[in-house]
Amino acid sequence: MGNVTMKTIADKAGVSVSTVSFCLNNSGRVGEDTKKEVLRIAEELNYTPNLSARELAGKKSTTIGVIIPDCADLKNAPLLKGIDNSLEANNYFNLVCFTHNKVERERAYINLLRGKNVDGLIIFPYVDRKRTQNSAQLNDLVKQGVPVVFVDTYLNQVDASWVITDNYQAAYEGTKFLLDHGHRKIAYIGGLYHIVGQERLRGYTEAMQEADLYDKNWIYSECQFGDSVEDISDSVKTILAAERPEAIMAFNYNSTLAVINTVKENPYLKKEDPEIIGFDYLMPVQEYDLAIYTYNQPHFEMGKKAVEILMEDIKNNKRDKARNQIKLTASLEAVSVKAAARIKDNKNKR
């Protein structure tokens, strides 16, 4: 069939165009039977709304743009699931774009999505070693009244809402956990290039200072979220070999794998039997005779919360209002059999 419009549906249903509009937008006073019939005909005719026309008429596109760094990162699956589930519940759709940790792709996708008339943006922003970030473009969007919500991390220079993990608290409690196990020489492997790395290092540092055990020589802070496991492994071998820590905190997925591989491949480190705490989802490790834990971040809930904030902004046309700043709690979980056994032993001693 040719171009199907609301008038096409109205003619077939024997109602007015305004009634069809009310039914499709779930607004206005329309009888339930009429609404069901209009929706049935719209589906039968494969009706697709003209998003550009709706935008020009002051309507919503019912589409949200989602920009994240990497489709291969395991933590992004529950994040996208939380976003998609919540958008579906609000009769919204999403357009997902992957930047592959390139700020120029982020800029290009923002322009692309604005051209698609999306009603708002959920963004996992990227910052590289040179602290290159897209603050100017994002600030322009916020000033124009485009709803923007950051997830997982945020940019201090942009006055937008955000939903993240309480990274300081997780690192602080994780370090205290290792201290409670009797460890005194605890190394930290991380990065300082955006707020997540800074907050995790702050949590580690304060816990070590409270125990009067802080030593800057136990910190390697040159990692970056986009670094490969191989690159990080080459970097951390020196500090781990020199300091021979009793326990290690690693600030993200790749750095955790790098630490595990480095310890496994070096007998002098393996002999120390260090406990390892990482961040993000790790598959259970059966074959390593190490105590390995990870902070699983609530990315599904993070995605849901981001949509909740965005829907509120869109519904109320919020502009120049106070921004939402939400921190969610991460949970420490055992990854290896040895770690699970130690947690069980500690519970039995209480």
Side-chain angles (χ1 to χ4, degrees):
M1 191 171 183
N3 185 34
V4 178
T5 65
M6 284 195 286
K7 187 176 187 309
T8 310
I9 299 171
D11 289 344
K12 186 163 185 177
V15 297
S16 67
V17 173
S18 60
T19 297
V20 172
S21 177
F22 288 146
C23 294
L24 295 176
N25 290 288
N26 196 28
S27 61
R29 295 182 179 179
V30 180
E32 193 61 30
D33 290 342
T34 300
K35 181 179 178 181
K36 286 181 179 178
E37 179 64 8
V38 167
L39 294 177
R40 184 192 67 76
I41 293 172
E43 183 176 1
E44 178 186 293
L45 298 178
N46 292 318
Y47 170 72
T48 302
N50 186 327
L51 299 183
S52 297
R54 293 179 68 176
E55 178 76 6
L56 290 171
K59 303 282 187 179
K60 302 300 182 185
S61 69
T62 65
T63 306
I64 297 300
V66 181
I67 301 176
I68 62 176
D70 191 355
C71 59
D73 193 327
L74 293 176
K75 69 183 178 185
N76 288 334
L79 176 65
L80 290 173
K81 184 68 173 175
I83 291 171
D84 191 64
N85 282 9
S86 294
L87 287 176
E88 183 180 17
N90 285 279
N91 297 313
Y92 259 74
F93 301 92
N94 63 69
L95 296 174
V96 181
C97 304
F98 301 104
T99 64
H100 303 299
N101 296 317
K102 295 178 181 177
V103 72
E104 61 271 16
R105 285 177 67 90
E106 182 177 282
R107 293 192 186 106
Y109 277 132
I110 289 173
N111 289 332
L112 173 69
L113 292 169
R114 287 302 293 144
K116 298 290 185 182
N117 299 320
V118 296
D119 293 337
L121 293 167
I122 295 174
I123 303 177
F124 183 154
Y126 180 72
V127 180
D128 62 19
R129 273 194 168 82
K130 298 178 181 178
R131 300 181 189 267
T132 304
Q133 53 194 33
N134 200 16
S135 301
Q137 185 186 30
L138 290 165
N139 269 320
D140 285 343
L141 287 178
V142 172
K143 289 175 182 177
Q144 292 166 18
V146 178
V148 175
V149 180
F150 291 134
V151 288
D152 201 79
T153 186
Y154 62 92
L155 304 179
N156 277 321
Q157 298 85 348
V158 181
D159 186 25
S161 296
W162 45 258
V163 186
I164 64 171
T165 298
D166 192 338
N167 293 290
Y168 161 81
Q169 194 64 29
Y172 176 84
E173 291 179 356
T175 306
K176 296 281 282 186
F177 174 86
L178 295 173
L179 289 166
D180 289 344
H181 282 198
H183 302 304
R184 293 297 175 262
K185 201 171 184 179
I186 303 172
Y188 178 86
I189 308 299
L192 294 174
Y193 301 105
H194 60 56
I195 196 68
V196 172
Q198 294 164 14
E199 285 295 283
R200 289 176 185 172
L201 178 57
R202 186 169 72 89
Y204 160 85
T205 299
E206 290 194 12
M208 293 297 283
Q209 287 175 338
E210 287 177 8
D212 199 24
L213 292 169
Y214 176 77
D215 187 333
K216 66 179 181 181
N217 292 320
W218 299 345
I219 297 173
Y220 179 81
S221 59
E222 293 302 314
C223 297
Q224 166 62 15
F225 276 94
D227 289 350
S228 68
V229 175
E230 292 74 19
D231 289 341
I232 299 173
S233 296
D234 291 340
S235 300
V236 302
K237 283 177 183 176
T238 302
I239 186 172
L240 295 183
E243 300 301 331
R244 297 200 180 186
E246 302 163 0
I248 305 163
M249 174 167 285
F251 88 130
N252 72 343
Y253 177 80
N254 279 1
S255 63
T256 305
L257 290 184
V259 167
I260 292 171
N261 292 340
T262 301
V263 172
K264 185 184 71 166
E265 293 167 3
N266 291 273
Y268 55 87
L269 289 173
K270 182 69 170 61
K271 186 178 179 181
E272 301 292 339
D273 192 25
E275 286 192 282
I276 300 168
I277 291 182
F279 279 83
D280 299 330
Y281 178 74
L282 286 173
M283 294 291 288
V285 181
Q286 304 290 341
E287 66 271 24
Y288 294 167
D289 186 26
L290 295 168
I292 305 169
Y293 314 83
T294 190
Y295 270 103
N296 274 336
Q297 300 184 75
H299 282 104
F300 180 80
E301 184 66 21
M302 193 180 292
K304 289 178 61 178
K305 285 288 185 183
V307 172
E308 182 181 310
I309 293 169
L310 209 57
M311 290 296 104
E312 185 68 19
D313 286 355
I314 292 168
K315 179 181 177 181
N316 297 325
N317 195 25
K318 291 177 70 174
R319 190 169 182 170
D320 298 328
K321 301 287 180 69
R323 302 301 173 185
N324 287 279
Q325 299 177 347
I326 297 176
K327 292 184 179 182
L328 303 176
T329 302
S331 58
L332 183 65
E333 299 179 9
V335 176
S336 66
V337 173
K338 197 167 191 176
R342 289 189 181 179
I343 288 178
K344 185 177 180 180
D345 288 343
N346 287 340
K347 287 181 179 178
N348 291 337
K349 291 176 182 178
R350 292 175 185 173

